Amino acid sequence: MVSSSKKELFNDINEMSFMLDDITLYLNTHPTCQNALNEYQKFKELRQEAIYKYTEKYGPICRYDVSVDNYWSWVNMPWPWEKECEK
């Protein structure tokens, strides 16, 4: 499910983040629903995989993705949403 191009990866991250938010709202009122808990875990793992792939190829998306190898260099680059507009 995780794409490989920059735009597709960024879209995947946004979609999976939305799914996690949506499932979280459901779990607020149905905390023991095993199906929802399983879906939450699945989308959480997919999102983490997409963030890892994006960060490895294109740099950090947010401050939590900054590593020793790419420390603060991200402030010199366009923000992720600006990268799409450069076309």
Side-chain angles (χ1 to χ4, degrees), residues 28-61:
N28 285 340
T29 57
H30 302 80
T32 60
C33 178
Q34 193 58 49
N35 187 40
L37 290 166
N38 292 341
E39 289 295 302
Y40 181 87
Q41 186 61 35
K42 178 180 86 174
F43 282 105
K44 180 180 171 185
E45 290 170 6
L46 287 170
R47 183 179 180 276
Q48 288 172 331
E49 179 185 347
I51 288 174
Y52 176 79
K53 281 185 172 183
Y54 188 97
T55 302
E56 286 294 307
K57 285 184 169 183
Y58 309 111
I61 295 174

Side-chain angles (χ1 to χ4, degrees), residues 4-72:
S4 59
S5 79
K6 180 170 37 174
K7 184 175 180 176
E8 289 173 338
L9 276 171
F10 194 68
N11 286 339
D12 285 350
I13 293 166
N14 286 329
E15 288 173 8
M16 287 179 259
S17 296
F18 178 83
M19 288 298 297
L20 287 169
D21 290 344
D22 199 42
I23 294 168
T24 299
L25 291 173
Y26 179 80
L27 285 168
N28 285 340
T29 57
H30 302 80
T32 60
C33 178
Q34 193 58 49
N35 187 40
L37 290 166
N38 292 341
E39 289 295 302
Y40 181 87
Q41 186 61 35
K42 178 180 86 174
F43 282 105
K44 180 180 171 185
E45 290 170 6
L46 287 170
R47 183 179 180 276
Q48 288 172 331
E49 179 185 347
I51 288 174
Y52 176 79
K53 281 185 172 183
Y54 188 97
T55 302
E56 286 294 307
K57 285 184 169 183
Y58 309 111
I61 295 174
C62 68
R63 67 181 183 264
Y64 303 113
D65 303 323
V66 175
S67 70
V68 175
D69 298 334
N70 63 17
Y71 66 96
W72 307 122

